[in-house]
Amino acid sequence: MKRKLISAIGIAGVVVSIAACGGEGGGGGADKGADAKELTVWLTVDAQNNWPELVKAADAAVRKKHPGLKVNHEYYGWPDKNAKLDAVLATDKVPDVVEMGNTEMLGYMVKGAFAPLDTAKFDNADAWLDGLKASVTYDGKTYGVPYYAGGRVANWRGDVAASVGVKTPPKTYKELTAALDKIQKKQGDKFSAWYQPTRDWYAAMSFVYDAGGAIATESGGQWKASLSSPESLRGLKEFKNVVDSYMHGDKTKDESDRYIVYGQGKSAMIFAAAWEGATAEDPKNDKSGKLKGNLQNFVMPGPSGKNMPVFLGGSDLAVPVKSDARAPAAEWINAFTGSSGQKGLMAKGNLPNNKTDLATLKSDPKTAVPATAAESNWFVPMAPGWGQVEKAQILQTMLQSIGTGKKSVEAAAKEADAAIDKVINTK
């Protein structure tokens, strides 16, 4: 699931109010509100629509420990959630638990909106997936708990692959490109053997991290862009090779409608969020009528010889620093995201928040591909100014310049590094 990272600037008005409370919600720490009579939980409609029984189970577990506790729930859609949250964070009436997209966490952590949490009080905290753990960690402290994950996989049309003599999904990058070369040659230049939107920075940065590079690195408390490093350049050049060789669509597009384009039947493969293949073959999107029953997910192999590291999306749960019920809020989060909750979430088709549970999914053919793919993952730099990097679309601009040939890989990366360095350390 893709979440739009909120700019740190967007919550600047909240900070004055938080600071006035001393940064700790007016006194009290993790045990604050142990005797609270009421708990307010904000979740997105995903929980309301898809696993309401798990919400009720968490309520019951907390009420058992706190008889008489009233648990209130409010549900929000992703587009309007943050505006509502920003508004209440500026007041003294805040929710006690709030769901955040994992890329949304950073701006709020930087500004002190969430209370620090003791990881010892949460199940499987020592086994949280690396990308999710990074999303709730800032300046050495933990400000949230991973809820569930969503990864990326390769998906291709088995029928198109079979037409060139390839009967099974590739295990190596060499096998993949050899198959795509055959497909491209047979289908011609109006067909995309691999539909890879140029501005899709999630895919492009997977190539960068696979090559040993990074968007930015930290040293001595300061972040510095590193897209011009030899390793990062190697990854970016391979991404350009993919776009040049197999992407014959509009090279100024992003990935927002990829599943729709895939459903038009003019491409043989995508590297995308795990849900996109299934959505593309839905009858309302499958305009060619050829996708249903022919799509195959597989773990994306990387040029390095290892599985391609994938961006790990998902949700986290946090406790606002002004909450008057921090203790039961933390207990509710653990009941919802702990061992029992994870089993329920996996049964609904989600990836769990930890490596222990993830390993159990690898033995099931229905979940083996996304579970295996998620083992190798990366996350955005947890730098104070990362929100400004995303807001300015620096990576997308660089990739479009590379994909369209407007600039060389080296020149575009150097320009992106300079733009990133101007804002990445700014709170």
Side-chain angles (χ1 to χ4, degrees), residues 233-295:
L233 288 175
R234 185 164 62 247
L236 288 171
K237 287 178 180 179
E238 185 54 37
F239 180 75
K240 175 175 171 55
N241 182 54
V242 166
V243 173
D244 288 347
S245 301
Y246 310 121
M247 168 62 177
H248 296 284
D250 183 350
K251 294 185 179 180
T252 66
K253 286 179 65 65
D254 65 16
E255 72 281 8
S256 59
D257 65 347
R258 172 169 45 210
Y259 67 94
I260 295 175
V261 176
Y262 195 30
Q264 293 171 352
K266 297 181 180 180
S267 51
M269 173 184 153
I270 56 175
F271 173 39
W275 56 266
E276 292 187 55
T279 305
E281 71 173 10
D282 184 294
K284 66 177 180 287
N285 295 318
D286 183 5
K287 302 303 181 183
S288 68
K290 298 179 180 179
L291 272 62
K292 189 69 174 179
N294 283 318
L295 297 188

Side-chain angles (χ1 to χ4, degrees), residues 79-416:
D80 58 356
K81 175 183 64 68
N82 286 348
K84 294 179 183 296
L85 179 60
D86 294 348
V88 300
L89 287 179
T91 73
D92 292 323
K93 185 66 174 176
V94 300
D96 303 296
V97 176
V98 61
E99 178 181 350
M100 306 292 297
N102 62 350
T103 58
E104 298 172 339
M105 284 289 295
L106 181 56
Y108 289 87
M109 293 190 295
V110 168
K111 297 302 182 181
F114 298 142
L117 301 174
D118 180 1
T119 56
K121 296 184 177 181
F122 300 95
D123 295 353
N124 296 310
D126 58 347
W128 284 343
L129 298 178
D130 295 339
L132 295 186
K133 182 178 180 180
S135 76
V136 298
T137 306
Y138 180 71
D139 200 22
K141 295 182 179 180
T142 301
Y143 292 94
V145 174
Y147 172 8
Y148 64 91
R152 282 165 168 71
V153 299
N155 180 288
W156 79 356
R157 285 181 54 182
D159 59 332
V160 175
S163 72
V164 295
V166 180
K167 303 296 178 63
T168 59
K171 299 294 185 182
T172 68
Y173 192 72
K174 184 176 181 180
E175 289 176 356
L176 172 64
T177 55
L180 292 175
D181 288 343
K182 293 178 181 178
I183 291 171
Q184 194 64 66
K185 182 177 180 180
K186 179 176 181 178
Q187 296 290 338
D189 60 11
K190 293 189 178 185
F191 186 90
S192 293
W194 176 347
Y195 180 74
Q196 179 52 63
T198 307
R199 291 172 65 88
D200 176 13
W201 64 276
Y202 297 104
M205 293 305 105
S206 286
F207 279 89
V208 166
Y209 282 93
D210 178 71
I215 300 171
T217 58
E218 186 267 340
S219 178
Q222 289 291 300
W223 287 83
K224 185 170 181 57
S226 56
L227 293 168
S228 294
S229 73
E231 296 82 4
S232 294
L233 288 175
R234 185 164 62 247
L236 288 171
K237 287 178 180 179
E238 185 54 37
F239 180 75
K240 175 175 171 55
N241 182 54
V242 166
V243 173
D244 288 347
S245 301
Y246 310 121
M247 168 62 177
H248 296 284
D250 183 350
K251 294 185 179 180
T252 66
K253 286 179 65 65
D254 65 16
E255 72 281 8
S256 59
D257 65 347
R258 172 169 45 210
Y259 67 94
I260 295 175
V261 176
Y262 195 30
Q264 293 171 352
K266 297 181 180 180
S267 51
M269 173 184 153
I270 56 175
F271 173 39
W275 56 266
E276 292 187 55
T279 305
E281 71 173 10
D282 184 294
K284 66 177 180 287
N285 295 318
D286 183 5
K287 302 303 181 183
S288 68
K290 298 179 180 179
L291 272 62
K292 189 69 174 179
N294 283 318
L295 297 188
Q296 300 172 341
N297 279 336
F298 59 94
V299 178
M300 180 68 188
S304 69
K306 301 178 181 179
N307 290 343
M308 184 79 87
V310 298
F311 175 79
L312 205 59
S315 282
D316 301 322
L317 297 175
V319 179
V321 73
K322 289 184 178 181
S323 169
D324 290 325
R326 287 192 204 171
E331 291 166 10
W332 190 93
I333 290 174
N334 190 50
F336 191 53
T337 64
S339 298
S340 178
Q342 290 301 310
K343 287 181 174 59
L345 288 165
M346 288 190 291
K348 296 292 184 177
N350 299 293
L351 292 179
N353 65 4
N354 67 90
K355 299 172 185 176
T356 304
D357 286 327
L358 188 69
T360 67
L361 297 181
K362 293 174 64 177
S363 61
D364 184 342
K366 295 180 181 178
T367 55
V369 168
T372 302
E375 286 184 313
S376 178
N377 55 78
W378 62 272
F379 198 64
V380 300
M382 295 303 283
W386 177 253
Q388 297 183 55
V389 175
E390 274 217 42
K391 183 180 181 182
Q393 297 193 356
I394 295 170
L395 296 180
Q396 293 94 321
T397 299
M398 173 191 72
L399 293 171
Q400 184 169 323
S401 293
I402 291 172
T404 59
K406 181 179 179 181
K407 294 179 181 176
S408 68
V409 172
E410 290 84 357
K414 183 178 180 180
E415 184 176 279

